[in-house]
Amino acid sequence: MSITRTEIGSRMSQTVTHGDTIYLAGQVGKGADITAQTKDMLANVDRLLEAVGSSKSHILSATIWMANMGDVAGMNAVWDAWVDPKNPPARACIESRLVTSDYMVEVMIIAAKA
């Protein structure tokens, strides 16, 4: 079975497809608050999935890291408006220090091809 990588950098690929399974690198967003960062992060997810022939309706699993669980309600408000209500993925949400203090939220996605 072949492996296809996109947006390859020196440290990682933004997507890796193996068979019918798509793995996204951790995605973060830009913005001054949790709402803006979550919207931008999910727009990155949409863009990457579309580029490899998938969509949010085909997400199998999402792991979300929050720098502060006090922001989870704001993140969830954006997530709930974005996620396909007929096809919600398995999901975990964890509090963790992120790579820089500017980031409030990061998501890692596993999806199926459409």
Side-chain angles (χ1 to χ4, degrees):
M1 207 175 297
S2 68
I3 297 173
T4 305
R5 300 171 197 279
T6 67
E7 298 187 30
I8 299 168
S10 61
R11 184 168 292 135
M12 65 184 175
S13 300
Q14 288 299 311
T15 69
V16 176
T17 303
H18 180 250
D20 288 334
T21 306
I22 303 159
Y23 302 87
L24 270 60
Q27 298 299 308
V28 294
K30 297 176 184 171
D33 61 24
I34 192 65
T35 298
Q37 284 195 17
T38 304
K39 285 180 180 179
D40 192 51
M41 174 186 77
L42 295 175
N44 289 338
V45 169
D46 283 333
R47 177 185 65 79
L48 290 167
L49 288 175
E50 182 179 344
V52 293
S54 192
S55 71
K56 64 185 171 187
S57 297
H58 293 84
I59 295 174
L60 304 172
S61 176
T63 304
I64 302 168
W65 290 274
M66 304 286 306
N68 180 343
M69 285 304 270
D71 290 332
V72 75
M75 183 277 298
N76 274 335
V78 176
W79 177 273
D80 291 346
W82 173 82
V83 75
D84 179 351
K86 294 181 180 175
N87 297 292
R91 188 184 111 164
C93 191
I94 305 150
E95 185 174 59
S96 177
R97 261 192 313 169
L98 302 180
V99 71
T100 74
S101 61
D102 295 340
Y103 296 134
M104 299 174 191
V105 60
E106 181 172 356
V107 66
M108 194 163 170
I109 299 287
I110 301 172
K113 281 193 173 180

